[in-house]
Amino acid sequence: MSVGLDTRLQFVVGKDAKRLLTALDVRTVGELLTHYPRRYDERGVLSDLSTLSRGAYVTVQARVRSAVNRTYAKAGPDRKGRNPVRTEVVVTDGTGDLQLVFFKQPWRTNALKPGALGLFAGKVGEFNGRPQLLHPECVLLDIPIDGAVETSTETGAGDVLWLTRPIIAVYPTSGRLTSWQIAACTSTALDSLEDIDDPVPEPLRARRGLVDLRTALDGVHRPYTDADHDSARARLRYDEALVTQVVLARLRHRLEGLPALPRKPVPGGLADRFDQRLPFTLTDGQGRVGSQVAADLARNHPMHRLLQGEVGSGKTVVALRAMLQVIDAGGQAALLAPTEVLAQQHHRAVTSMLGDLALGGMLGGAEGATAVGLLTGSLGVAARRQALLAAASGTAGIVVGTHALLEESVQFADLGLVVVDEQHRFGVEQRAALTDRGSVARPHVLVMTATPIPRTVAMTVFGDLDVSVLAELPAGRRPVQTSVVPAAERPTWLERGWQRVREEVAAGRQAYVVCPRIGDGSQTDQQAGDGPEEQSPGHGVLATAEELAGGPLAGVRVGVLHGRLAPDDKDRVMDRFAAGEVDVLVATTVVEVGVDVPNATVMVVMDADRYGLSQLHQLRGRVGRGAEAGLCLLVTEAPPGSPARERLDQVAATTDGFEVSRLDVALRREGDVLGALQSGSRSSLRLLSVVRHEDVIVDARADAAELVAADPALDRHPALARRVAALEQTAAGAFIDKT
Ligand code: ADP
Ligand code: MG
C-alpha cells in the first residue's frame, strides 16, 4: 500500500503508533509530521545545565564525566546474596554538572563511559539540594556524522539514522516518549511517505520563494543546516496562513453570493435631512467610511463590514446615517448593544440626535419621520408588546436592543440592516442568529468595535468582514491625559487626585470612579477576589462610594452604578448622571463600553492593574468627550518595576488605541487572541503567530483571494481543497462559518 499523509500510523511505525497516540494524540502520518520540533540543537554543542527548572521534563545534550557503581546495603542482599547497585553518573556541559542516577542497572557503565556524548531525558528532580535525573532515558551520540550506525540502542527506538545529523531536532514531549523516539518514528514516516500532494500550487510557491512540501517536511524534522529548518518553517507557516485565509475567502465569496435587497440612497430623504441638521461637520474618516457603507448598502448582496474606531471617533453617527439610508429605502434597522445600560443610552442618543425625525406617528413629528423602538429584557409586558408590534408592523424604523432582540418572537416587517455595537462583547453565534432570520434576502450587517484590533488579528478573526477604520477623533477633541497613581508608595498623590475630582466638580464637571467589584458579597465579587496572585479583594463600589462621600468627596453628590442594580435603578442613575444631578459616579466596568456623558472629565480607576490594557483604554475613553480635556488616574498598589506597574506606565504613555492593542496582544497568549477560532481540539496554527507574522498573513490573504476568485470550489487544487475542508469541519471552521 502506498503511504500518504492520511495513512494511519500503525501501518508505518507498527506498535509505536499506540504510544504516539497516548503521548501526542496523533493518529496519522500527517498529524505526526505536524508535531514540529521545539528547538534545534547542534551536535556537540552542550546544553546549558544551569537553567534546568525543577519538575520540568528536559532533554539535554551533555558529556559523561564520571560513572560509578556503588553497592548499597540498606535494602539487603538479593536472593543470590549480592548487594544492590546504584549507578551514579555525572554529566557536564563544560561548566556545570548534572547527576544521573540508576538503581539496579550496573550495565549502564558499559555505555556511559567518561567522555561519551549523549542525549539524556527525564524529569528534573532534586537530591541533596542539587538537580538530578532519576532513571533518565539515554542515547549516545558518539557516532560518525552520516556514518554507519548500529541500529540497536538500549532505547529500542529502532532507526537512529537521524542521530547522525549535525543538527538534532528536539521535540516537545511529556515524558511518555523521548524526543529521539519521536524523531525516530518521524524519520520512519518520512522515509515511507510516497504520495504527497502539495496543497500550495507551484506558481504560488515560486512567487513566494517557498520550498515544496516534501522538502519542507524533511527540513523541519531532519535538517542538515539551520537554513534547512528556517526555509522549512517559513513554508509550513505559509501553509497555515493560506489554508485559514482560503477558508475565509470562500466564506466571503459565499456571503457575496447571497441575495440582499439593495437600499439605495433617496435624495431628500431622512438621511439627507439628518445630514443637513448635524451640529458638526463630519470628520474625513466619517465621510469616507460613510460613502463605503452607502455603496455597500446599495448592492444586492449583503454588506459585512467591520467598523473600527477609537472611542469617541464618532461611530454612532456613521451607523445612524446608514440606518436612515435603509429606512429611506423602505427597510428597518436593528441596533444591537451588549448591555442594557448601553441599549438605553443608544436609544436616548439616537432619539435625541434625530429630534422630530424620530417622532413618526406622533404629535410634532416631521413629515416622513420614523420611530425608534427599544426592546430589552427588562421591559414590562405592555411596553414589550408595543415594541414587538412596532417592529413587526414596520412603524419602528429603528429598533434598539440587547440580545432580547435575538429572540424568535421578535419579528421585523423588513429588516434591512443590523448594526452590532462593540462586537467584542457579542457572541458570534448571536450575530448569526440575527442575520439568519429565515427570509431569503439577508440584511446588511455593520459591526462596530472600539477595541482596536491589530490588522492581522482582524484578518484572521474577522476575515469574512470588510474592514473600515475611523482613525482620527473629531476636531477639537483633546486626548485624555493619563497618570499612574502609586497608592502604596505615594498616598499623597491619591489625596491630590481626589482634590482634582473636587475641583472639576466645583467647575461644574463630573467624574467616574471605577472599582473592580461591587462589594455586596455576590459571586462576581468572589471571583474577582479569588485570583491566585491577588492578595486583597480590591476596592468594592459600595464601600468606596461610602468612604468617598464621608471623606475625600464629602459634599459632592455621589451615585452608584453596577450590574446588579435593578434595570430601573440603573436607568435612573444614568439619567441623573447624564442630567448633571450626580457629580461622581462610582461604578464597576459597566461604564466601560460606550457610555457617553460629555461633561465627565475625570476618571479614577481603582486597582488599575487588574484590568487588561485594552479595557483601560476603553475606560478612559469615557472622559474628555466634550470640549474639556480629560484626565484618567490609574490607581495601583503594584510595586514599582513590577510587570503590572510597567504595563500601566505603557498605557499612560500612549493615547493610541492601536498601540495599546498591540501591547495587549503581545502580552497575551496566541490562543486568547484568537479565542474561539482556536477552540478546536487540535489547533490549526502551530508555526504561524498572528502577532509576529503579519507579512505572511498579508501575502496569504492576497493569494487566497486570487485563488478563490479564479476557482471558488478549488476544483483545480484538490490537495488544498482537502486541507481547507478539514479546517472547515473543525470547531474553528464551524465558528468561522457562523459569522
Ligand atoms: P464612538 O461610538 O465612536 O465612541 P460616538 O459616536 O459616541 O463615538 O461619538 C462621540 C461623541 O462625539 C458624540 O457626542 C458625538 O455626537 C460626537 N461627534 C461625533 N462625530 C463628531 C464630529 N464629526 N464632530 C464633532 N463631534 C462629533
Ligand atoms: Mg459608541
Side-chain angles (χ1 to χ4, degrees):
M1 103 185 202
S2 75
V3 175
L5 292 172
D6 293 330
T7 304
R8 300 190 76 80
L9 281 167
Q10 62 261 38
F11 301 116
V12 180
V13 298
K15 63 177 171 28
D16 282 340
K18 211 164 176 179
R19 302 161 73 198
L20 288 167
L21 177 64
T22 15
L24 308 178
D25 192 30
V26 294
R27 287 170 181 76
T28 64
V29 168
E31 286 173 5
L32 176 62
L33 294 182
T34 49
H35 184 77
Y36 300 125
R38 181 212 301 286
R39 62 168 208 266
Y40 297 93
D41 283 354
E42 217 176 305
R43 210 163 113 95
V45 175
L46 305 179
S47 310
D48 182 355
L49 295 177
S50 66
T51 58
L52 302 181
S53 45
R54 309 289 144 98
Y57 186 89
V58 298
T59 302
V60 299
Q61 191 181 168
R63 226 171 252 292
V64 176
R65 219 157 63 108
S66 63
V68 289
N69 285 328
R70 301 183 196 282
T71 54
Y72 58 104
K74 238 187 197 161
D78 63 11
R79 267 181 288 129
K80 292 179 184 161
R82 290 178 310 201
N83 275 325
V85 172
R86 180 179 72 221
T87 308
E88 292 178 4
V89 180
V90 176
V91 298
T92 178
D93 62 6
T95 25
D97 290 344
L98 174 68
Q99 191 179 54
L100 320 179
V101 172
F102 305 87
F103 287 98
K104 300 184 186 175
Q105 298 182 353
W107 47 268
R108 286 286 182 182
T109 49
N110 298 342
L112 299 174
K113 292 219 165 39
L117 178 68
L119 290 176
F120 306 97
K123 200 169 152 186
V124 183
E126 197 176 282
F127 186 72
N128 283 343
R130 303 187 25 88
Q132 182 189 69
L133 299 184
L134 180 62
H135 285 207
E137 307 264 0
C138 317
V139 68
L140 293 180
L141 296 174
D142 285 321
I143 34 186
I145 290 187
D146 277 336
V149 206
E150 285 181 44
T151 52
S152 79
T153 69
E154 61 260 52
T155 67
D159 180 2
V160 291
L161 255 180
W162 63 275
L163 279 176
T164 69
R165 306 269 166 148
I167 289 180
I168 296 165
V170 182
Y171 289 86
T173 164
S174 58
R176 276 191 250 222
L177 277 178
T178 60
S179 173
W180 56 87
Q181 285 165 332
I182 297 170
C185 292
T186 303
S187 201
T188 309
L190 283 170
D191 288 340
S192 8
L193 194 58
E194 293 161 55
D195 299 347
I196 178 160
D197 292 331
D198 197 324
V200 179
E202 211 289 314
L204 279 188
R205 295 204 302 268
R207 177 193 299 172
R208 303 294 178 197
L210 299 167
V211 298
D212 65 78
L213 182 58
R214 164 122 241 161
T215 310
L217 288 174
D218 248 317
V220 80
H221 292 291
R222 308 190 287 197
Y224 277 98
T225 64
D226 286 338
D228 286 349
H229 61 78
D230 280 347
S231 60
R233 274 178 313 176
R235 151 67 210 243
L236 295 167
R237 193 176 287 139
Y238 174 87
D239 278 23
E240 292 175 4
L242 182 70
V243 173
T244 313
Q245 291 300 330
V246 168
V247 169
L248 293 166
R250 275 166 40 108
L251 181 60
R252 276 198 304 277
H253 183 86
R254 272 202 297 279
L255 291 174
E256 276 158 21
L258 292 172
L261 288 182
R263 314 284 181 170
K264 296 207 169 70
V266 174
L270 291 173
D272 280 357
R273 285 152 72 193
F274 176 73
D275 279 357
Q276 280 153 20
R277 60 165 76 177
L278 265 182
F280 44 71
T281 16
L282 296 175
T283 63
D284 289 350
Q286 283 171 322
R288 191 183 56 247
V289 174
S291 325
Q292 282 170 343
V293 171
D296 285 353
L297 293 173
R299 298 176 57 219
N300 53 6
H301 299 295
M303 164 174 81
H304 286 92
R305 189 170 285 281
L306 176 70
L307 173 55
Q308 284 195 58
E310 275 292 342
V311 273
S313 58
K315 295 182 293 296
T316 314
V317 179
V318 173
L320 187 50
R321 294 175 73 232
M323 293 193 264
L324 294 174
Q325 176 176 335
V326 169
I327 296 169
D328 284 338
Q332 291 166 284
L335 172 55
L336 229 60
T339 66
E340 187 126 356
V341 169
L342 253 187
Q344 282 159 356
Q345 182 184 294
H346 272 315
H347 182 254
R348 262 196 308 269
V350 166
T351 312
S352 82
M353 280 165 99
L354 287 176
D356 62 0
L357 297 180
L359 297 179
M362 280 184 255
L363 214 59
E367 202 194 313
T370 187
V372 184
L374 175 67
L375 196 65
T376 62
S378 67
L379 283 188
V381 178
R384 180 177 166 80
R385 191 175 308 130
Q386 201 194 342
L388 285 174
L389 190 65
S393 66
T395 51
I398 297 175
V399 183
V400 184
T402 55
H403 57 273
L405 264 189
L406 305 176
E407 284 161 20
E408 290 285 324
S409 58
V410 182
Q411 296 295 328
F412 289 84
D414 181 8
L415 184 60
L417 170 66
V418 176
V419 178
V420 184
D421 193 14
E422 314 294 355
Q423 148 76 21
H424 61 298
R425 290 297 185 88
F426 259 105
V428 202
E429 319 248 325
Q430 294 177 319
R431 208 164 99 204
L434 193 72
T435 55
D436 194 13
R437 306 230 107 205
S439 58
V440 189
R442 295 272 212 124
H444 300 279
V445 178
L446 180 66
V447 178
M448 304 195 289
T449 173
T451 307
I453 305 161
R455 195 156 76 116
T456 49
V457 178
M459 276 181 189
T460 311
V461 180
F462 300 111
D464 59 319
L465 304 173
D466 296 312
V467 178
S468 301
V469 177
L470 285 182
E472 76 270 56
L473 296 180
R477 191 71 49 79
R478 276 178 285 171
V480 178
Q481 190 209 324
T482 305
S483 302
V484 177
V485 178
E489 312 135 59
R490 307 240 187 252
T492 54
W493 289 19
L494 184 56
E495 282 164 31
R496 226 179 298 156
W498 298 128
Q499 191 187 333
R500 250 324 271 284
V501 172
R502 284 199 306 273
E503 286 164 13
E504 291 293 310
V505 170
R509 294 187 283 270
Q510 293 163 283
Y512 299 97
V513 177
V514 178
C515 300
R517 53 186 200 112
I518 302 171
D520 62 350
S522 61
Q523 213 187 356
T524 31
D525 263 25
Q526 268 141 44
Q527 280 164 358
D530 262 3
E533 321 90 324
E534 309 195 355
Q535 295 88 25
S536 80
H539 286 81
V541 168
L542 302 179
T544 305
E546 215 178 292
E547 231 170 84
L548 290 175
L553 300 184
V556 168
R557 292 169 300 178
V558 175
V560 158
L561 179 69
H562 57 75
R564 288 169 63 84
L565 286 180
D568 280 354
D569 293 339
K570 264 190 240 173
D571 207 14
R572 197 169 314 125
V573 72
M574 270 317 293
D575 277 341
R576 294 185 59 216
F577 189 64
E581 294 161 19
V582 165
D583 300 314
V584 175
L585 193 60
V586 183
T588 53
T589 51
V590 291
V591 299
E592 173 192 347
V593 185
V595 170
D596 189 14
V597 176
N599 193 44
T601 48
V602 184
M603 169 165 290
V604 182
V605 184
M606 308 303 293
D607 306 299
D609 44 286
R610 296 186 186 210
Y611 301 93
L613 304 193
S614 292
Q615 204 179 4
L616 289 173
H617 185 69
Q618 288 286 93
L619 281 168
R620 70 181 168 184
R622 300 302 117 215
V623 292
R625 294 170 75 82
E628 303 297 326
L631 173 68
C632 175
L633 300 178
L634 303 177
V635 181
T636 177
E637 303 201 343
S642 63
R645 183 71 171 274
E646 271 166 24
R647 295 186 321 140
L648 293 182
D649 289 338
Q650 286 174 323
V651 175
T654 180
T655 55
D656 177 354
F658 282 92
E659 178 58 28
V660 171
S661 79
R662 266 191 297 274
L663 290 169
D664 211 10
V665 166
L667 287 170
R668 279 185 285 171
R669 293 210 335 275
E670 207 82 350
D672 301 338
V673 177
L674 291 182
L677 186 66
Q678 287 299 292
S679 70
S681 55
R682 290 178 61 84
S683 152
S684 56
L685 303 190
R686 282 145 192 273
L687 297 171
L688 183 74
S689 155
V690 292
V691 181
R692 280 172 287 125
H693 302 126
E694 173 164 349
D695 49 345
V696 182
I697 295 174
V698 171
D699 286 353
R701 184 175 164 88
D703 297 344
E706 194 182 297
L707 276 175
V708 171
D711 179 15
L714 301 175
D715 289 333
R716 271 171 275 141
H717 307 287
L720 180 60
R722 274 197 300 278
R723 293 274 297 270
V724 166
L727 179 57
E728 282 173 346
Q729 268 156 33
T730 62
F735 161 88
I736 292 171
D737 198 35
K738 288 221 182 79
T739 58

